[in-house]
Amino acid sequence: MSKELTTLLSRDQIHDRIKEMGAQITADYQGQQVHLICILKGASLFLADLARAIDLPVSLDFMAVSSYGKGTKTTGEVRITKDLDAAIQNMNVIIVEDIVDTGLTLNYLRGLLENRGPRSVKIATLLDKPSRRIQPVTVEYVGFTIPDAFVVGYGLDYAERYRNLRDVCVLDPTATSAGA
Ligand code: 5GP
């Protein structure tokens, strides 16, 4: 492990928690089908593991967004850079996200998807940083609540690096040349 990374959540902790989340979702939607919407790119590894932990008929779709002025503006304006491939009418949608930070992205997405006529919309996130919240957002399935630190790994990046780390790690930006 390089000096700029400190493990926050180990691969075993992540694996065990996702198994529990999958079991919870399986119990909550018994006898129904769920439609998982992965928010690219950060949630892609979480999606792959969560989908396999759910013992129900599952379908998948993908969406990509980029936020304007993140950290400086509170408008919550989010730009869709890749929309869903298919309609979600009458579906049990679960938005699958890597991390909830200010809450702006998920607030916007929940509203957007609720307007498309699904049967239900819930949110599953691997990580939650509640101390940074600007807009309240109801998140039905949270993997881990973490302190206010910048984390990478298990899908999360810094300048597109570190997504393939198997653990979630805190990145010390002063110790890395990744963004230089
Ligand atoms: P927000 O909740 O602020 O609208 O945005 C959530 C998004 O911000 C996440 O999907 C992720 O792309 C990014 N983000 C927030 N905190 C972190 C972090 O600690 N590490 C990484 N890599 N991305 C983060």
Side-chain angles (χ1 to χ4, degrees):
M1 172 96 38
S2 59
K3 64 182 183 325
E4 71 261 23
L5 299 171
T6 314
T7 301
L8 181 68
L9 300 166
S10 72
R11 61 201 72 181
D12 290 341
Q13 281 175 286
I14 296 168
H15 176 259
D16 291 351
R17 182 68 189 120
I18 293 175
K19 258 182 89 175
E20 290 174 1
M21 294 174 85
Q24 182 68 55
I25 290 170
T26 303
D28 290 353
Y29 291 91
Q30 222 20 263
Q32 302 178 70
Q33 188 165 335
V34 292
H35 190 56
L36 303 182
I37 295 181
C38 174
I39 309 305
L40 296 170
K41 304 173 194 171
S44 54
L45 277 69
F46 176 42
L47 172 88
D49 286 339
L50 183 66
R52 287 178 289 182
I54 297 173
D55 190 13
L56 296 170
V58 166
S59 51
L60 308 178
D61 207 341
F62 297 85
M63 194 170 215
V65 299
S66 70
S67 307
Y68 287 121
K70 185 179 292 180
T72 54
K73 290 186 182 170
T74 57
T75 59
E77 192 179 354
V78 173
R79 189 165 59 97
I80 307 286
T81 56
K82 185 223 169 296
D83 206 338
L84 300 175
D85 286 341
I88 54 169
Q89 265 162 10
N90 299 320
M91 290 179 151
N92 291 312
V93 166
I94 302 179
I95 303 172
V96 179
E97 178 63 298
D98 51 2
I99 185 166
V100 192
D101 187 21
T102 62
L104 298 176
T105 306
L106 277 177
N107 248 313
Y108 176 85
L109 282 180
R110 186 193 275 273
L112 181 87
L113 296 180
E114 276 172 350
N115 280 333
R116 295 185 183 182
R119 182 181 303 165
S120 62
V121 177
K122 289 190 184 180
I123 295 172
T125 186
L126 180 67
L127 307 173
D128 185 15
K129 276 201 274 197
S131 58
R132 296 248 313 159
R133 204 71 94 247
I134 290 172
Q135 280 183 5
V137 52
T138 305
V139 183
E140 287 81 2
Y141 305 103
V142 175
F144 300 91
T145 299
I146 63 167
D148 180 16
F150 190 81
V151 292
V152 296
Y154 197 73
L156 289 128
D157 77 311
Y158 174 69
E160 293 299 327
R161 272 187 67 189
Y162 306 112
R163 293 194 195 276
N164 58 328
L165 293 180
R166 296 171 73 185
D167 308 314
V168 170
C169 300
V170 174
L171 179 71
D172 176 0
T174 62
T176 180
S177 58

